[in-house]
PDB file of all heavy atoms in Angstrom:
ATOM      1  N   SER A   1       3.512  11.797  13.559  1.00  0.00           N
ATOM      2  CA  SER A   1       3.432  10.422  13.543  1.00  0.00           C
ATOM      3  C   SER A   1       4.695   9.705  13.983  1.00  0.00           C
ATOM      4  O   SER A   1       5.771  10.319  14.015  1.00  0.00           O
ATOM      5  CB  SER A   1       3.085   9.944  12.103  1.00  0.00           C
ATOM      6  OG  SER A   1       1.910  10.504  11.641  1.00  0.00           O
ATOM      7  N   GLY A   2       4.548   8.487  14.393  1.00  0.00           N
ATOM      8  CA  GLY A   2       5.712   7.648  14.855  1.00  0.00           C
ATOM      9  C   GLY A   2       6.338   6.908  13.621  1.00  0.00           C
ATOM     10  O   GLY A   2       6.132   7.312  12.456  1.00  0.00           O
ATOM     11  N   VAL A   3       7.046   5.942  13.980  1.00  0.00           N
ATOM     12  CA  VAL A   3       7.828   5.130  12.944  1.00  0.00           C
ATOM     13  C   VAL A   3       6.953   4.584  11.873  1.00  0.00           C
ATOM     14  O   VAL A   3       7.274   4.620  10.725  1.00  0.00           O
ATOM     15  CB  VAL A   3       8.694   4.007  13.559  1.00  0.00           C
ATOM     16  CG1 VAL A   3       9.308   3.225  12.548  1.00  0.00           C
ATOM     17  CG2 VAL A   3       9.711   4.643  14.575  1.00  0.00           C
ATOM     18  N   ALA A   4       5.809   4.046  12.334  1.00  0.00           N
ATOM     19  CA  ALA A   4       4.821   3.446  11.372  1.00  0.00           C
ATOM     20  C   ALA A   4       4.369   4.453  10.352  1.00  0.00           C
ATOM     21  O   ALA A   4       4.330   4.174   9.071  1.00  0.00           O
ATOM     22  CB  ALA A   4       3.609   2.776  12.035  1.00  0.00           C
ATOM     23  N   GLY A   5       4.035   5.632  10.739  1.00  0.00           N
ATOM     24  CA  GLY A   5       3.649   6.712   9.813  1.00  0.00           C
ATOM     25  C   GLY A   5       4.670   7.127   8.943  1.00  0.00           C
ATOM     26  O   GLY A   5       4.517   7.380   7.751  1.00  0.00           O
ATOM     27  N   LEU A   6       5.870   7.318   9.473  1.00  0.00           N
ATOM     28  CA  LEU A   6       7.022   7.839   8.695  1.00  0.00           C
ATOM     29  C   LEU A   6       7.576   6.790   7.696  1.00  0.00           C
ATOM     30  O   LEU A   6       8.392   7.049   6.886  1.00  0.00           O
ATOM     31  CB  LEU A   6       8.151   8.215   9.589  1.00  0.00           C
ATOM     32  CG  LEU A   6       7.820   9.483  10.490  1.00  0.00           C
ATOM     33  CD1 LEU A   6       8.983   9.804  11.396  1.00  0.00           C
ATOM     34  CD2 LEU A   6       7.368  10.661   9.703  1.00  0.00           C
ATOM     35  N   SER A   7       7.010   5.563   7.814  1.00  0.00           N
ATOM     36  CA  SER A   7       7.407   4.507   6.838  1.00  0.00           C
ATOM     37  C   SER A   7       6.800   4.755   5.507  1.00  0.00           C
ATOM     38  O   SER A   7       7.278   4.134   4.504  1.00  0.00           O
ATOM     39  CB  SER A   7       6.893   3.154   7.347  1.00  0.00           C
ATOM     40  OG  SER A   7       7.495   2.810   8.508  1.00  0.00           O
ATOM     41  N   GLY A   8       5.827   5.664   5.382  1.00  0.00           N
ATOM     42  CA  GLY A   8       5.234   5.966   4.168  1.00  0.00           C
ATOM     43  C   GLY A   8       4.478   4.796   3.585  1.00  0.00           C
ATOM     44  O   GLY A   8       3.953   3.894   4.388  1.00  0.00           O
ATOM     45  N   MET A   9       4.335   4.682   2.251  1.00  0.00           N
ATOM     46  CA  MET A   9       3.587   3.667   1.631  1.00  0.00           C
ATOM     47  C   MET A   9       4.571   2.495   1.287  1.00  0.00           C
ATOM     48  O   MET A   9       5.616   2.691   0.792  1.00  0.00           O
ATOM     49  CB  MET A   9       2.951   4.137   0.327  1.00  0.00           C
ATOM     50  CG  MET A   9       1.907   5.201   0.623  1.00  0.00           C
ATOM     51  SD  MET A   9       1.152   5.904  -0.967  1.00  0.00           S
ATOM     52  CE  MET A   9       2.463   7.031  -1.484  1.00  0.00           C
ATOM     53  N   ASP A  10       4.081   1.332   1.467  1.00  0.00           N
ATOM     54  CA  ASP A  10       4.813   0.071   1.114  1.00  0.00           C
ATOM     55  C   ASP A  10       4.535  -0.183  -0.365  1.00  0.00           C
ATOM     56  O   ASP A  10       3.575   0.205  -0.984  1.00  0.00           O
ATOM     57  CB  ASP A  10       4.379  -1.082   1.956  1.00  0.00           C
ATOM     58  CG  ASP A  10       5.385  -2.267   1.935  1.00  0.00           C
ATOM     59  OD1 ASP A  10       6.347  -2.139   1.230  1.00  0.00           O
ATOM     60  OD2 ASP A  10       5.123  -3.251   2.619  1.00  0.00           O
ATOM     61  N   ALA A  11       5.506  -0.916  -0.981  1.00  0.00           N
ATOM     62  CA  ALA A  11       5.356  -1.321  -2.413  1.00  0.00           C
ATOM     63  C   ALA A  11       4.143  -2.192  -2.565  1.00  0.00           C
ATOM     64  O   ALA A  11       3.493  -2.125  -3.676  1.00  0.00           O
ATOM     65  CB  ALA A  11       6.592  -2.058  -2.932  1.00  0.00           C
ATOM     66  N   ALA A  12       3.746  -2.904  -1.523  1.00  0.00           N
ATOM     67  CA  ALA A  12       2.530  -3.770  -1.606  1.00  0.00           C
ATOM     68  C   ALA A  12       2.049  -4.122  -0.216  1.00  0.00           C
ATOM     69  O   ALA A  12       2.859  -4.312   0.657  1.00  0.00           O
ATOM     70  CB  ALA A  12       2.802  -5.099  -2.394  1.00  0.00           C
ATOM     71  N   ASN A  13       0.728  -4.122  -0.070  1.00  0.00           N
ATOM     72  CA  ASN A  13       0.185  -4.527   1.242  1.00  0.00           C
ATOM     73  C   ASN A  13      -1.252  -4.862   1.116  1.00  0.00           C
ATOM     74  O   ASN A  13      -1.913  -4.618   0.106  1.00  0.00           O
ATOM     75  CB  ASN A  13       0.235  -3.318   2.248  1.00  0.00           C
ATOM     76  CG  ASN A  13      -0.647  -2.135   1.835  1.00  0.00           C
ATOM     77  OD1 ASN A  13      -0.224  -1.394   0.916  1.00  0.00           O
ATOM     78  ND2 ASN A  13      -1.687  -1.983   2.560  1.00  0.00           N
ATOM     79  N   ARG A  14      -1.798  -5.542   2.029  1.00  0.00           N
ATOM     80  CA  ARG A  14      -3.163  -5.902   2.142  1.00  0.00           C
ATOM     81  C   ARG A  14      -3.854  -4.983   3.140  1.00  0.00           C
ATOM     82  O   ARG A  14      -3.313  -4.667   4.216  1.00  0.00           O
ATOM     83  CB  ARG A  14      -3.374  -7.371   2.620  1.00  0.00           C
ATOM     84  CG  ARG A  14      -2.735  -8.353   1.593  1.00  0.00           C
ATOM     85  CD  ARG A  14      -3.150  -9.852   1.946  1.00  0.00           C
ATOM     86  NE  ARG A  14      -2.249 -10.740   1.279  1.00  0.00           N
ATOM     87  CZ  ARG A  14      -2.463 -11.133  -0.008  1.00  0.00           C
ATOM     88  NH1 ARG A  14      -3.548 -10.516  -0.612  1.00  0.00           N
ATOM     89  NH2 ARG A  14      -1.646 -11.950  -0.660  1.00  0.00           N
ATOM     90  N   ALA A  15      -5.003  -4.509   2.788  1.00  0.00           N
ATOM     91  CA  ALA A  15      -5.773  -3.631   3.699  1.00  0.00           C
ATOM     92  C   ALA A  15      -7.195  -3.975   3.677  1.00  0.00           C
ATOM     93  O   ALA A  15      -8.097  -3.254   3.125  1.00  0.00           O
ATOM     94  CB  ALA A  15      -5.552  -2.186   3.194  1.00  0.00           C
ATOM     95  N   PRO A  16      -7.573  -5.122   4.329  1.00  0.00           N
ATOM     96  CA  PRO A  16      -8.954  -5.568   4.337  1.00  0.00           C
ATOM     97  C   PRO A  16      -9.968  -4.569   4.922  1.00  0.00           C
ATOM     98  O   PRO A  16     -11.096  -4.591   4.446  1.00  0.00           O
ATOM     99  CB  PRO A  16      -8.930  -6.891   5.192  1.00  0.00           C
ATOM    100  CG  PRO A  16      -7.621  -6.765   5.998  1.00  0.00           C
ATOM    101  CD  PRO A  16      -6.638  -5.990   5.087  1.00  0.00           C
ATOM    102  N   ASP A  17      -9.469  -3.806   5.940  1.00  0.00           N
ATOM    103  CA  ASP A  17     -10.456  -2.843   6.530  1.00  0.00           C
ATOM    104  C   ASP A  17     -10.786  -1.755   5.519  1.00  0.00           C
ATOM    105  O   ASP A  17     -11.864  -1.208   5.492  1.00  0.00           O
ATOM    106  CB  ASP A  17      -9.829  -2.222   7.767  1.00  0.00           C
ATOM    107  CG  ASP A  17      -9.708  -3.166   8.846  1.00  0.00           C
ATOM    108  OD1 ASP A  17     -10.472  -4.211   8.833  1.00  0.00           O
ATOM    109  OD2 ASP A  17      -8.927  -2.970   9.781  1.00  0.00           O
ATOM    110  N   LEU A  18      -9.822  -1.457   4.643  1.00  0.00           N
ATOM    111  CA  LEU A  18     -10.049  -0.307   3.691  1.00  0.00           C
ATOM    112  C   LEU A  18     -10.676  -0.860   2.447  1.00  0.00           C
ATOM    113  O   LEU A  18     -11.573  -0.202   1.843  1.00  0.00           O
ATOM    114  CB  LEU A  18      -8.624   0.291   3.330  1.00  0.00           C
ATOM    115  CG  LEU A  18      -8.596   1.552   2.509  1.00  0.00           C
ATOM    116  CD1 LEU A  18      -9.165   2.729   3.282  1.00  0.00           C
ATOM    117  CD2 LEU A  18      -7.109   1.907   2.151  1.00  0.00           C
ATOM    118  N   LEU A  19     -10.301  -1.975   2.002  1.00  0.00           N
ATOM    119  CA  LEU A  19     -10.764  -2.510   0.718  1.00  0.00           C
ATOM    120  C   LEU A  19     -11.935  -3.484   0.832  1.00  0.00           C
ATOM    121  O   LEU A  19     -12.576  -3.896  -0.073  1.00  0.00           O
ATOM    122  CB  LEU A  19      -9.617  -3.272  -0.023  1.00  0.00           C
ATOM    123  CG  LEU A  19      -8.501  -2.359  -0.401  1.00  0.00           C
ATOM    124  CD1 LEU A  19      -7.246  -3.218  -0.828  1.00  0.00           C
ATOM    125  CD2 LEU A  19      -8.886  -1.515  -1.594  1.00  0.00           C
ATOM    126  N   GLY A  20     -12.135  -3.981   2.124  1.00  0.00           N
ATOM    127  CA  GLY A  20     -13.192  -4.931   2.323  1.00  0.00           C
ATOM    128  C   GLY A  20     -13.026  -6.333   1.745  1.00  0.00           C
ATOM    129  O   GLY A  20     -13.880  -7.052   1.419  1.00  0.00           O
ATOM    130  N   ASN A  21     -11.678  -6.688   1.602  1.00  0.00           N
ATOM    131  CA  ASN A  21     -11.333  -7.933   0.923  1.00  0.00           C
ATOM    132  C   ASN A  21      -9.984  -8.363   1.447  1.00  0.00           C
ATOM    133  O   ASN A  21      -8.972  -7.813   1.211  1.00  0.00           O
ATOM    134  CB  ASN A  21     -11.262  -7.663  -0.601  1.00  0.00           C
ATOM    135  CG  ASN A  21     -11.077  -8.900  -1.410  1.00  0.00           C
ATOM    136  OD1 ASN A  21     -10.554  -9.944  -0.961  1.00  0.00           O
ATOM    137  ND2 ASN A  21     -11.358  -8.780  -2.755  1.00  0.00           N
ATOM    138  N   GLU A  22     -10.050  -9.494   2.142  1.00  0.00           N
ATOM    139  CA  GLU A  22      -8.809 -10.034   2.802  1.00  0.00           C
ATOM    140  C   GLU A  22      -7.834 -10.583   1.776  1.00  0.00           C
ATOM    141  O   GLU A  22      -6.649 -10.676   2.110  1.00  0.00           O
ATOM    142  CB  GLU A  22      -9.243 -11.104   3.882  1.00  0.00           C
ATOM    143  CG  GLU A  22      -9.992 -10.528   5.005  1.00  0.00           C
ATOM    144  CD  GLU A  22     -10.315 -11.588   6.057  1.00  0.00           C
ATOM    145  OE1 GLU A  22      -9.908 -12.787   5.800  1.00  0.00           O
ATOM    146  OE2 GLU A  22     -10.833 -11.218   7.133  1.00  0.00           O
ATOM    147  N   ASP A  23      -8.304 -11.035   0.586  1.00  0.00           N
ATOM    148  CA  ASP A  23      -7.444 -11.731  -0.258  1.00  0.00           C
ATOM    149  C   ASP A  23      -6.828 -10.793  -1.296  1.00  0.00           C
ATOM    150  O   ASP A  23      -5.982 -11.172  -2.124  1.00  0.00           O
ATOM    151  CB  ASP A  23      -8.191 -12.825  -1.048  1.00  0.00           C
ATOM    152  CG  ASP A  23      -8.784 -13.898  -0.139  1.00  0.00           C
ATOM    153  OD1 ASP A  23      -8.084 -14.267   0.765  1.00  0.00           O
ATOM    154  OD2 ASP A  23      -9.920 -14.371  -0.364  1.00  0.00           O
ATOM    155  N   LEU A  24      -7.234  -9.514  -1.218  1.00  0.00           N
ATOM    156  CA  LEU A  24      -6.754  -8.568  -2.263  1.00  0.00           C
ATOM    157  C   LEU A  24      -5.452  -7.939  -1.808  1.00  0.00           C
ATOM    158  O   LEU A  24      -5.346  -7.414  -0.829  1.00  0.00           O
ATOM    159  CB  LEU A  24      -7.838  -7.449  -2.476  1.00  0.00           C
ATOM    160  CG  LEU A  24      -7.479  -6.382  -3.468  1.00  0.00           C
ATOM    161  CD1 LEU A  24      -7.306  -6.985  -4.925  1.00  0.00           C
ATOM    162  CD2 LEU A  24      -8.648  -5.358  -3.502  1.00  0.00           C
ATOM    163  N   LEU A  25      -4.450  -7.903  -2.790  1.00  0.00           N
ATOM    164  CA  LEU A  25      -3.176  -7.292  -2.611  1.00  0.00           C
ATOM    165  C   LEU A  25      -3.168  -5.967  -3.360  1.00  0.00           C
ATOM    166  O   LEU A  25      -3.481  -5.990  -4.521  1.00  0.00           O
ATOM    167  CB  LEU A  25      -2.056  -8.154  -3.034  1.00  0.00           C
ATOM    168  CG  LEU A  25      -0.620  -7.523  -2.854  1.00  0.00           C
ATOM    169  CD1 LEU A  25      -0.214  -7.592  -1.369  1.00  0.00           C
ATOM    170  CD2 LEU A  25       0.403  -8.256  -3.698  1.00  0.00           C
ATOM    171  N   MET A  26      -2.891  -4.860  -2.664  1.00  0.00           N
ATOM    172  CA  MET A  26      -2.784  -3.576  -3.297  1.00  0.00           C
ATOM    173  C   MET A  26      -1.246  -3.239  -3.502  1.00  0.00           C
ATOM    174  O   MET A  26      -0.580  -3.195  -2.563  1.00  0.00           O
ATOM    175  CB  MET A  26      -3.391  -2.477  -2.509  1.00  0.00           C
ATOM    176  CG  MET A  26      -3.436  -1.103  -3.105  1.00  0.00           C
ATOM    177  SD  MET A  26      -4.588  -0.016  -2.368  1.00  0.00           S
ATOM    178  CE  MET A  26      -4.056  -0.116  -0.643  1.00  0.00           C
ATOM    179  N   ALA A  27      -0.841  -3.041  -4.744  1.00  0.00           N
ATOM    180  CA  ALA A  27       0.535  -2.834  -5.130  1.00  0.00           C
ATOM    181  C   ALA A  27       0.762  -1.493  -5.846  1.00  0.00           C
ATOM    182  O   ALA A  27      -0.140  -0.971  -6.519  1.00  0.00           O
ATOM    183  CB  ALA A  27       1.002  -3.968  -6.084  1.00  0.00           C
ATOM    184  N   ARG A  28       1.988  -0.975  -5.674  1.00  0.00           N
ATOM    185  CA  ARG A  28       2.318   0.303  -6.096  1.00  0.00           C
ATOM    186  C   ARG A  28       3.589   0.258  -6.959  1.00  0.00           C
ATOM    187  O   ARG A  28       4.712   0.657  -6.366  1.00  0.00           O
ATOM    188  CB  ARG A  28       2.500   1.399  -4.990  1.00  0.00           C
ATOM    189  CG  ARG A  28       1.233   1.386  -4.105  1.00  0.00           C
ATOM    190  CD  ARG A  28       1.487   2.207  -2.789  1.00  0.00           C
ATOM    191  NE  ARG A  28       0.255   2.148  -1.888  1.00  0.00           N
ATOM    192  CZ  ARG A  28       0.056   1.259  -1.058  1.00  0.00           C
ATOM    193  NH1 ARG A  28       0.915   0.175  -0.969  1.00  0.00           N
ATOM    194  NH2 ARG A  28      -0.994   1.286  -0.293  1.00  0.00           N
ATOM    195  N   PRO A  29       3.620  -0.267  -8.127  1.00  0.00           N
ATOM    196  CA  PRO A  29       4.944  -0.529  -8.921  1.00  0.00           C
ATOM    197  C   PRO A  29       5.588   0.738  -9.439  1.00  0.00           C
ATOM    198  O   PRO A  29       6.715   0.670  -9.862  1.00  0.00           O
ATOM    199  CB  PRO A  29       4.436  -1.333 -10.061  1.00  0.00           C
ATOM    200  CG  PRO A  29       2.951  -0.962 -10.283  1.00  0.00           C
ATOM    201  CD  PRO A  29       2.479  -0.697  -8.831  1.00  0.00           C
ATOM    202  N   LEU A  30       4.977   2.011  -9.274  1.00  0.00           N
ATOM    203  CA  LEU A  30       5.605   3.232  -9.678  1.00  0.00           C
ATOM    204  C   LEU A  30       6.215   3.998  -8.570  1.00  0.00           C
ATOM    205  O   LEU A  30       6.474   5.205  -8.643  1.00  0.00           O
ATOM    206  CB  LEU A  30       4.647   4.058 -10.460  1.00  0.00           C
ATOM    207  CG  LEU A  30       4.080   3.411 -11.795  1.00  0.00           C
ATOM    208  CD1 LEU A  30       2.979   4.392 -12.336  1.00  0.00           C
ATOM    209  CD2 LEU A  30       5.143   3.006 -12.737  1.00  0.00           C
ATOM    210  N   LEU A  31       6.367   3.383  -7.427  1.00  0.00           N
ATOM    211  CA  LEU A  31       6.658   4.122  -6.180  1.00  0.00           C
ATOM    212  C   LEU A  31       8.139   4.750  -6.301  1.00  0.00           C
ATOM    213  O   LEU A  31       8.345   5.697  -5.560  1.00  0.00           O
ATOM    214  CB  LEU A  31       6.593   3.201  -4.922  1.00  0.00           C
ATOM    215  CG  LEU A  31       6.266   3.777  -3.607  1.00  0.00           C
ATOM    216  CD1 LEU A  31       4.990   4.754  -3.782  1.00  0.00           C
ATOM    217  CD2 LEU A  31       5.983   2.760  -2.600  1.00  0.00           C
ATOM    218  N   THR A  32       8.962   4.266  -7.185  1.00  0.00           N
ATOM    219  CA  THR A  32      10.325   4.822  -7.293  1.00  0.00           C
ATOM    220  C   THR A  32      10.380   5.746  -8.510  1.00  0.00           C
ATOM    221  O   THR A  32      11.580   6.260  -8.774  1.00  0.00           O
ATOM    222  CB  THR A  32      11.373   3.652  -7.456  1.00  0.00           C
ATOM    223  OG1 THR A  32      11.046   2.927  -8.611  1.00  0.00           O
ATOM    224  CG2 THR A  32      11.333   2.728  -6.275  1.00  0.00           C
ATOM    225  N   VAL A  33       9.305   6.003  -9.140  1.00  0.00           N
ATOM    226  CA  VAL A  33       9.250   6.875 -10.347  1.00  0.00           C
ATOM    227  C   VAL A  33       8.722   8.261  -9.919  1.00  0.00           C
ATOM    228  O   VAL A  33       7.732   8.399  -9.272  1.00  0.00           O
ATOM    229  CB  VAL A  33       8.410   6.273 -11.463  1.00  0.00           C
ATOM    230  CG1 VAL A  33       8.430   7.187 -12.657  1.00  0.00           C
ATOM    231  CG2 VAL A  33       8.913   4.897 -11.739  1.00  0.00           C
ATOM    232  N   SER A  34       9.415   9.329 -10.378  1.00  0.00           N
ATOM    233  CA  SER A  34       8.973  10.645 -10.126  1.00  0.00           C
ATOM    234  C   SER A  34       7.872  11.128 -10.999  1.00  0.00           C
ATOM    235  O   SER A  34       7.665  10.582 -12.149  1.00  0.00           O
ATOM    236  CB  SER A  34      10.134  11.635 -10.195  1.00  0.00           C
ATOM    237  OG  SER A  34      10.543  11.781 -11.544  1.00  0.00           O
ATOM    238  N   ARG A  35       7.169  12.136 -10.563  1.00  0.00           N
ATOM    239  CA  ARG A  35       6.024  12.746 -11.377  1.00  0.00           C
ATOM    240  C   ARG A  35       6.601  13.231 -12.673  1.00  0.00           C
ATOM    241  O   ARG A  35       6.013  13.163 -13.814  1.00  0.00           O
ATOM    242  CB  ARG A  35       5.239  13.759 -10.664  1.00  0.00           C
ATOM    243  CG  ARG A  35       4.174  14.352 -11.517  1.00  0.00           C
ATOM    244  CD  ARG A  35       3.260  15.317 -10.711  1.00  0.00           C
ATOM    245  NE  ARG A  35       2.259  15.889 -11.487  1.00  0.00           N
ATOM    246  CZ  ARG A  35       1.102  15.375 -11.859  1.00  0.00           C
ATOM    247  NH1 ARG A  35       0.806  14.158 -11.295  1.00  0.00           N
ATOM    248  NH2 ARG A  35       0.216  15.946 -12.606  1.00  0.00           N
TER     249      ARG A  35
END
C-alpha cells in the first residue's frame, strides 16, 4: 500500500460507503491503548 494505507486507522472518520450513513461519525477512542 501507499501512504494512505500506511496511515492506518484514524481516531475518527466518516465512511458513508461502508456505513450507509453520511451523518455518522465512527470513532476509535482506544487507539492508543494496548491489548
Side-chain angles (χ1 to χ4, degrees):
S1 299
V3 176
L6 297 178
S7 298
M9 295 178 284
D10 197 356
N13 68 286
R14 299 188 192 279
D17 292 336
L18 190 64
L19 296 164
N21 188 339
E22 294 184 354
D23 298 323
L24 180 60
L25 180 76
M26 183 163 54
R28 306 170 184 86
L30 300 179
L31 211 50
T32 61
V33 180
S34 70
R35 180 176 177 82

